[in-house]
Amino acid sequence: MGKGDGENPPQKFVSDQFFCQLCIFVFMGVSITLSSLSAGMDNGGSFPFPYFISGFLLGIVLLVNLASRWYVVRIVQKKGLTRKNILDALNNTTCGTHIWPWSCRVGMLWCISGSIVTGIGGVNCRIDENKENNSATNDTEVKNTCYYNIEGENAELYKGLAIGLVVMHALSFAYLMLSHCPADSVIDQIKEDPRGNTVKPANNRPAAAPAAGCCYFYKQCTGF
C-alpha cells in the first residue's frame, strides 16, 4: 500500500465527511422507512424470519457510524484543520480507532446477512405446488415460501418494499466497505500543511500509524 503526502488540502477531508454524513443519513432514513412500512404485514407464508427488522438494525449501525464521523470532524475543527490533527483524531481517539472502522465492518456483515434473508423471504419466493397422486385421490399441497401472503392484496407492495431493502443493504455495503479504513485516506490523499498555516497549533504528540489490515483499493478512497 503506497504512502505519501497526497495532493489534497486538509479541508477536503472535512468536506468529504460532510458529504458522507449526508449519504449515511439518507441510507439510514430510507432503510428505517422501508422497514416501518413492512412491519405491518402478517406472517402469511412459511418463511420463519421477519426480514423487515434488517432495515431497523442497519439504521442503528449507520447511526453509530454517523456519530463517530461527526465526533472526529468536531475534534479536528476544535484542534485546527491540519493533516497531523486529522491523523491524531483518527488514530488516538476511540471513535476514530474503534467505533468508526468497526461500525463499518459490522455493518458490512449485517448487510450481507440482511440481503440474503430479505431476498429469500421477500423477493425470491413463490408458491410451490407438490402433487401427491394415488389410486384414490389427486391432492395438491400448496406452500407459500414468502414471509407474507403472496396471494394477498398487498403482496406486490410487500415485494417492492423487500426489493428496496435489498437495494439499500447493497448500497450500504459498498459505502461501508469503501470507508472502513479512514486513516489510509488521509495518508494517501491529504498533503502536508503548507508553510505559514494560521490554524491552531497542532498537538505535539506524534500521530500513530494507521491500523493494519485495510483493504488495498481503499487507498484511492477519500472518505466515501
Side-chain angles (χ1 to χ4, degrees):
M1 185 179 297
K3 305 296 180 184
D5 294 340
E7 57 184 13
N8 299 306
Q11 179 60 44
K12 179 171 175 54
F13 174 82
V14 175
S15 300
D16 286 345
Q17 291 313 309
F18 285 141
F19 177 78
C20 289
Q21 291 174 45
L22 177 61
C23 290
I24 293 176
F25 187 81
V26 172
F27 291 166
M28 181 176 62
V30 174
S31 298
I32 293 176
T33 299
L34 292 174
S35 287
S36 299
L37 294 174
S38 302
M41 60 185 176
D42 59 337
N43 183 2
S46 61
F47 190 73
F49 304 111
Y51 60 81
F52 59 85
I53 65 174
S54 63
F56 291 125
L57 296 177
L58 177 60
I60 293 174
V61 173
L62 292 176
L63 178 61
V64 172
N65 188 255
L66 175 66
S68 63
R69 288 172 185 265
W70 176 85
Y71 179 82
V72 168
V73 172
R74 290 289 295 172
I75 288 294
V76 172
Q77 292 177 328
K78 183 177 180 180
K79 289 185 175 181
L81 189 55
T82 66
R83 181 176 184 267
K84 181 178 182 298
N85 286 344
I86 295 174
L87 287 171
D88 275 343
L90 291 173
N91 290 302
N92 298 313
T93 64
T94 302
C95 282
T97 306
H98 300 292
I99 299 180
W100 178 339
W102 278 105
S103 62
C104 288
R105 293 159 191 167
V106 171
M108 288 163 58
L109 294 176
W110 180 249
C111 285
I112 295 174
S113 302
S115 296
I116 294 174
V117 171
T118 305
I120 294 175
V123 181
N124 188 29
C125 57
R126 61 194 181 277
I127 292 181
D128 288 338
E129 295 185 358
N130 298 322
K131 293 185 177 180
E132 298 180 354
N133 297 318
N134 53 52
S135 58
T137 62
N138 185 5
D139 297 329
T140 300
E141 181 184 356
V142 178
K143 182 179 181 181
N144 176 12
T145 63
C146 296
Y147 178 79
Y148 52 87
N149 182 6
I150 197 173
E151 294 183 313
E153 60 179 355
N154 294 321
E156 292 299 322
L157 172 62
Y158 293 143
K159 186 171 184 178
L161 294 173
I163 292 174
L165 281 172
V166 172
V167 171
M168 291 312 305
H169 280 80
L171 292 176
S172 298
F173 175 85
Y175 181 87
L176 294 172
M177 181 175 60
L178 291 174
S179 59
H180 79 281
C181 298
D184 277 15
S185 173
V186 177
I187 287 180
D188 292 337
Q189 299 296 324
I190 304 300
K191 65 183 178 181
E192 294 285 1
D193 307 310
R195 294 182 179 181
N197 198 329
T198 57
V199 297
K200 296 179 182 179
N203 192 329
N204 292 327
R205 181 175 55 184
C214 296
C215 50
Y216 174 77
F217 58 82
Y218 180 75
K219 68 180 183 177
Q220 300 299 328
C221 178
T222 59
F224 61 93

